[in-house]
Amino acid sequence: MRSDEFYMTRALAVAERGRGRTSPNPLVGAVLVDAEGVVVGSGHHAIAGGPHAEIVALRAAGARARGATLFCTLEPCAHVGRTGPCAPRVAEAGVARVVVAVQDPNPLVSGRGTALLRARGVAVADGVCEAEARAINRPFFSVMTRRRPFVTMKVALSADGRISEAPGVRTSLTAASANRFIHRERAEIDAIGVGSGTVLIDDPRLTARGAYRHRPLVRVVFDTRLRTPASAKLFSTLDAGPVIILTTPEAARSAPRRVAALTRAGADVLEVEPSPGAVGMMRAGDAGGGHVDLAGALEQLAVRGISSLVVEGGPDLHRAFWDAGLVDRVQIFRTPRELGSRGPTWLPAVAAGNGWSAARPRTLGVDLLMEGYVHRAD
Ligand code: AOF
Ligand code: ZN
């Protein structure tokens, strides 16, 4: 038999087969290995609500599970949800030892799965490849421990650090290769967010094109002033996924006809009550209309099953998310084009790399992707 890390790495690769299909549930992989080190069964969680990875692996192994070691990228569950619980099934199958990468952050499980296994006489080791196991499930951990989606802030910048030719002018910067990458990512995330300014200027569809997407993609407009027009392209692509307009109770009260028009167009208009002392108020600028409490908005999105959100802009929305400390990952697409001094710049400190760690840049055709995680204590 090889090292625990060797088989766990394999289980992590197996878990990846579910990518894009399991949300809001986690990616999970399981591998059963006999005393000689032969893999006798493996399985992954293929779709939310479907059988858990451990059960798929146990079924594949049949009687050969007896005396085997189970490598599991997430602690086996101990609760009855849509399926489960898995931990008793693992014990009943005669598995001798269970190696777990990371404890399940789900409060229904968290520690109970491994405790149950130990109580039934199964040897348990945990923390094997823990960092990797957390990394494949950042959205799931985010929702379970912080009750909000994992947030990526994405932007395209010109060589001279501008976001457009001039304020309010639609400017597309990235070339074909980066665009393919962006659409592949869109195929995996749960939701895309933009400010109402971006809808007015760009009229984007915010769909995943040229990449297979398994589920509807939720499009979210942060719209304090209810400026989104009912004629927006977002509403002609409702078959790609629902559109949520996040606004304030105040704006909804003062513009009932706009709410009605947006609802008729197919929007789900969601009023976010500003919580006392809320962080992440998005200012509506000089036109008035109050604030959207971003933290409260994210909580509402999590309740709707959204575990990952990519915030595409514009700069006011980016600034509000950043200042509220609600960004987890930064993605900057650097393009070779120069836009000149009429073009607005983007959060200068973030563009300079403050507050986050950029990994080695990745080349995507003529463009460069700088991506990294935000420094945070939690
Ligand atoms: C999964 N797949 O392979 C494992 C999970 O909604 P349920 O009943 O499927 O339960 C989901 C919970 O089960 C999930 O939050 C996690 O805590 C635990 N483990 N879930 O979807 C799996 N092993
Ligand atoms: Zn389970």
Side-chain angles (χ1 to χ4, degrees), residues 52 95 205 210 298 332:
H52 290 184
V95 169
R205 282 172 283 174
L298 289 182
I332 300 179

Side-chain angles (χ1 to χ4, degrees), residues 138-150 302 306-308:
R138 286 195 172 95
F140 175 69
F141 276 86
S142 175
V143 170
M144 286 295 163
T145 62
R146 310 183 299 188
R147 290 197 305 157
R148 70 161 178 86
F150 181 83
I306 293 169
S307 306
S308 55

Side-chain angles (χ1 to χ4, degrees), residues 181-195:
F181 177 91
I182 288 164
H183 282 275
R184 270 203 307 274
E185 290 237 313
R186 279 187 183 174
E188 289 174 7
I189 56 168
D190 294 335
I192 300 192
V194 293

Side-chain angles (χ1 to χ4, degrees), residues 48-82:
H52 290 184
E54 307 88 315
I55 303 305
V56 181
L58 285 175
R59 277 190 202 137
R64 289 178 298 174
R66 190 155 295 281
T69 299
L70 172 68
F71 292 86
C72 225
T73 62
L74 188 71
E75 174 186 10
C77 69
H79 73 296
V80 183
R82 281 177 283 189

